[in-house]
Amino acid sequence: MTTAQTIPYTADTLIDEVVLIARPSTMRGLYLISDGKRVIVSPVVPPGFFKIAVKAKPHAANTEAMPCAA
């Protein structure tokens, strides 16, 4: 059984740093969650918490090199 872990952070901590810490846990099926006051890695999302997306969105293709279809 996996228990929840609180990720320590301060006002100067960037979300990128939190994601780097949490990424290995999310690959094991855990969620990075927050209730607005604390950030936790947990196997479930309890009421009052929301999931924080950890994966990066792919970059859009360079559309400048494509010819116009008109």
Side-chain angles (χ1 to χ4, degrees):
M1 183 167 122
T2 305
T3 60
Q5 290 180 299
T6 302
I7 297 176
Y9 67 96
T10 64
D12 296 328
T13 305
L14 299 174
I15 190 65
D16 293 340
E17 294 170 346
V18 173
V19 168
L20 284 175
I21 293 169
R23 188 167 303 222
S25 299
T26 58
M27 289 181 176
R28 290 183 287 151
L30 301 175
Y31 300 105
L32 180 63
I33 60 174
S34 177
D35 64 352
K37 297 178 185 173
R38 56 191 169 197
V39 177
I40 299 172
V41 175
S42 174
V44 296
V45 182
F49 282 79
F50 57 91
K51 287 193 257 183
I52 300 173
V54 176
K55 61 183 176 180
K57 293 181 180 179
H59 294 285
N62 186 359
T63 57
E64 291 180 26
M66 295 180 151
C68 181

